[in-house]
Amino acid sequence: MAVVFVTGMSGTGKSAALAELARRGHQVVDTDYGGYSEGVGEQLWREDRIEALLDARNDGVLFVSGCVSNQARFYPRFDAVVLLTAPENVILKRVAGRDTNDFGKDDGERARILDDLEKIGPLLRAGATVEIDTRVRLSEVVDALERIADGVLPDAR
């Protein structure tokens, strides 16, 4: 099984991309849910849960999404690390208008998003194998993710 990791800051479209990948029939895991991460403020993956997820063998591609402090520890386990990006103004507009996640609604959380973009954004970029600007239509983002997955499937090598 190929495993593609989709990461990015809040508001870059990770959840929307995973929802569309699932709608298209792909296996997806959003590590914000299901007990894969823990912590207050700084989120960390529960390494035992992530190891078990990545050790499971299935056919096809698994898309895993998240943005946590210890994710780089698992980069060698992914066939591709895809960073979703967008400009600050786009991100702030998205988090203000979304109804699926309350993070980013108050001034303190928006300030944290901007600080994270400055400090964590470069670290995410350095660890990524591919970057996708999510200002394009969602279908284009998901098409790009599928092309990346096609390129890492064992029979495509």
Side-chain angles (χ1 to χ4, degrees):
M1 172 177 62
V3 183
V4 176
F5 179 52
V6 181
T7 191
M9 305 306 300
S10 292
T12 56
K14 297 181 305 291
S15 295
L18 246 59
E20 177 61 16
L21 286 163
R23 191 192 69 72
R24 293 184 184 189
H26 295 286
Q27 300 172 65
V28 301
V29 173
D30 184 340
T31 62
D32 286 348
Y33 307 98
Y36 288 100
S37 49
E38 61 190 359
V40 176
E42 179 185 28
Q43 290 291 302
L44 295 169
W45 273 341
R46 289 189 46 204
E47 295 188 5
D48 60 327
R49 296 286 319 274
I50 298 298
E51 288 286 351
L53 173 67
L54 299 177
D55 286 342
R57 293 289 175 226
N58 295 308
D59 292 333
V61 179
L62 171 64
F63 291 92
V64 177
S65 173
C67 189
V68 295
S69 297
N70 61 338
Q71 69 188 37
R73 177 190 179 290
F74 292 91
Y75 284 177
R77 301 284 313 269
F78 298 116
D79 294 292
V81 176
V82 181
L83 174 62
L84 301 185
T85 61
E88 290 177 5
N89 63 323
V90 172
I91 288 172
L92 292 177
K93 183 178 179 181
R94 286 178 182 170
V95 298
R98 67 185 175 187
D99 57 7
T100 57
N101 185 329
D102 287 336
F103 183 74
K105 302 292 186 197
D106 66 47
D107 289 340
E109 291 172 344
R110 285 189 294 279
R112 179 175 169 201
I113 289 170
L114 294 174
D115 189 58
D116 286 349
L117 282 169
E118 181 181 333
K119 294 176 181 169
I120 298 170
L123 299 173
L124 296 176
R125 186 166 281 111
T129 54
V130 180
E131 184 173 335
I132 299 173
D133 185 326
T134 61
R135 286 179 287 179
V136 298
R137 291 178 309 178
L138 177 61
S139 63
E140 293 178 56
V141 171
V142 174
D143 290 346
L145 288 166
E146 288 179 322
R147 283 192 302 277
I148 291 163
D150 286 345
V152 298
L153 283 172
D155 57 1
R157 289 184 183 163

